[in-house]
Amino acid sequence: MRISVEEVFETVKMTLDHHFDIRTVTLGINLTDCMDRNFNSFDARAHERIVEKGKLLNRCARIIEQKYGIPITNRRIAVTPAAILLEPLPRKKQIAVRFAKTLDAAARKANIDFIGGFGAMVQKGMTGSDENMIDAVPQALSKTQRVCGFLNLASTEAGINMDAVVKFGHTLRELAERSENGVGCAKIAVFANAPQDNPFMAGAHHGAGEPDFSLNIGISGPGVVRNVVLQNPNCDLTQLSEVIKRTVFKITRAGELIGRELANMMDIYFGIVDISLAPTTLAGDSVAEIIEAMGIEQMGLPGSTAALAMLVDAVKKGGAMASGNVGGLSGTFIPVSEDAGMVRAVRAGTLTLEKLEALTSVCSVGLDMFAVPGDTPAEVLSAIIADELAIGVINNKTTSVRIIPVPGKKPGDIVHFGGLLGSAPIMKVAKTASHRFIIRKGRIPAPIQALRN
């Protein structure tokens, strides 16, 4: 489908006042051919490639921004999962930590905002390299600034790796204790059914089946969608869905044009457009406020799940009509700390952890950027994660968790993470969980719907 420059400028004119942007351009880089049994040789090759391609990404992104006047908020890189790259090397935590520091140094030298891929795919079991990398997470993410991590702990085809879930609960507690206000936990996400072309951090990585290099683009426009909902206060829900769908269609077309032109300029493969609505701390740039503009008095009250389901469906339909390359997560993020409307709802008591979990059954991301007391037991953290992964496994959808245990804080306190990470009220959680269930470990088998081939 041909996209005209005039159409893009029409979209820019419509959206500039409502925070429409290209939230991220994420360059995927395959590093498997850099692997070596000599760490220094591997390290040098990986560093050189990341810096070279990162500088190219930045240079081309600046040209595209100036040409079309649409800001590209973040420039990011995603690499091959670290646990795979470290397979030939000694199973020592310090090796994994040194590689994380290399990723951080390369991103800094190339002036890249974040670099993802410090993670592993462990939905069915863990290799020695996987376990070593998970053990290194607390030290690696607390000693770096731009490195993000991920773990795929479950899938519809494999079930839930409870050994890894239990292990990660303890890993998370240690990471929180090693970083100020537990903010290191904001840099790692755990998944069920993790997409391997996701441009959004913290879960971005360059997965199997991808080419040597690919450009994935994440657009975002909650402020734009909120504005059109407010402009249509009297239409019925069928008509409102159509309005949202048409709006997302337009911004997706603009995003795809920019993504394709950037990929052509860099002479690399254009991957996907992720059409997720991702809120920021800016006034009006809130997913919760879209739900409230639909007529829900406050996010979390009865009706919120139905409204969110309608929003996600309209977003997906509009994006799918606009582009044949829609991928990644492509839904709606509902992070607590990064969305002013979500924060207000938590403080007012209309949005609890239980209701937040219910909302994730219809959105595409999961329990995202929410803070809990730092003394929450590791088994409780693991149980929260297991519940969310089960939603993804049973419903054959992507779900994720970014939970931040904040040392020294209690329910109702406010913690400030700074920048795009925003601020979050500490949510109340149980101090006990089904301990005997969690410590059984093992693997929760895949549901019968996995047997579809």
Side-chain angles (χ1 to χ4, degrees), residues 83-288:
I84 295 174
L85 300 174
L86 298 173
E87 279 285 357
L89 296 164
R91 308 289 166 77
K92 297 179 180 179
K93 278 200 299 185
Q94 202 53 40
I95 293 289
V97 173
R98 285 176 62 189
F99 182 55
K101 290 180 177 179
T102 294
L103 294 176
D104 199 47
R108 184 170 58 252
K109 188 171 182 179
N111 197 25
I112 292 296
D113 297 298
F114 290 105
I115 184 164
F118 192 77
M121 305 291 289
V122 294
Q123 60 270 22
K124 200 169 185 180
M126 294 180 282
T127 68
S129 180
D130 294 331
E131 290 200 64
N132 182 61
M133 199 228 70
I134 296 172
D135 289 338
V137 161
Q139 192 175 351
L141 296 190
S142 63
K143 291 184 175 295
T144 56
Q145 299 296 316
R146 307 183 190 213
V147 176
C148 290
F150 83 99
L151 292 171
N152 193 65
L153 303 179
S155 71
T156 299
E157 288 73 25
I160 305 174
N161 183 350
M162 290 300 294
D163 290 341
V165 170
V166 173
K167 184 179 182 69
F168 185 71
H170 295 278
T171 300
L172 203 60
R173 279 292 302 267
E174 185 182 346
L175 176 56
E177 290 163 3
R178 283 177 174 267
S179 51
E180 184 179 359
N181 284 333
V183 73
C185 300
K187 298 194 295 176
I188 186 165
V190 295
F191 284 87
N193 298 315
Q196 301 191 64
D197 54 6
N198 166 25
F200 286 105
M201 298 297 170
H205 63 284
H206 192 65
E210 297 288 315
D212 281 332
F213 305 99
S214 66
L215 186 79
N216 299 318
I217 186 166
I219 63 172
S220 186
V224 180
V225 175
R226 173 179 173 269
N227 183 60
V228 298
V229 172
L230 288 172
Q231 289 177 351
N232 292 271
N234 300 316
C235 65
D236 67 27
L237 293 176
T238 306
Q239 294 168 330
L240 185 60
S241 175
E242 188 67 20
V243 168
I244 295 170
K245 185 173 70 174
R246 290 180 180 181
T247 302
V248 173
F249 176 89
K250 287 188 176 183
I251 61 179
T252 302
R253 296 253 285 175
E256 174 151 355
L257 172 64
I258 288 171
R260 286 190 180 279
E261 186 155 342
L262 181 56
N264 287 338
M265 189 178 296
M266 296 179 67
D267 192 27
I268 61 172
Y269 178 81
F270 175 66
I272 57 96
V273 182
D274 188 314
I275 55 176
S276 296
L277 295 181
T280 70
T281 54
L282 295 173
D285 206 26
S286 162
V287 169

Side-chain angles (χ1 to χ4, degrees), residues 45 80 83-84 196 203 247 296 330 368 431:
R45 286 197 291 270
T80 308
I84 295 174
Q196 301 191 64
T247 302
I296 304 297
S330 288
D368 196 22
K431 284 292 187 288

Side-chain angles (χ1 to χ4, degrees), residues 274 326 382 452:
D274 188 314
V326 172
S382 294
R452 293 177 297 174

Side-chain angles (χ1 to χ4, degrees), residues 44-64:
R45 286 197 291 270
H47 182 275
E48 180 182 7
R49 182 170 300 174
I50 292 167
V51 171
E52 177 191 352
K53 293 298 183 181
K55 287 182 175 179
L56 177 63
L57 174 64
N58 253 323
R59 185 165 62 250
C60 294
R62 284 194 295 269
I63 294 171
I64 294 295

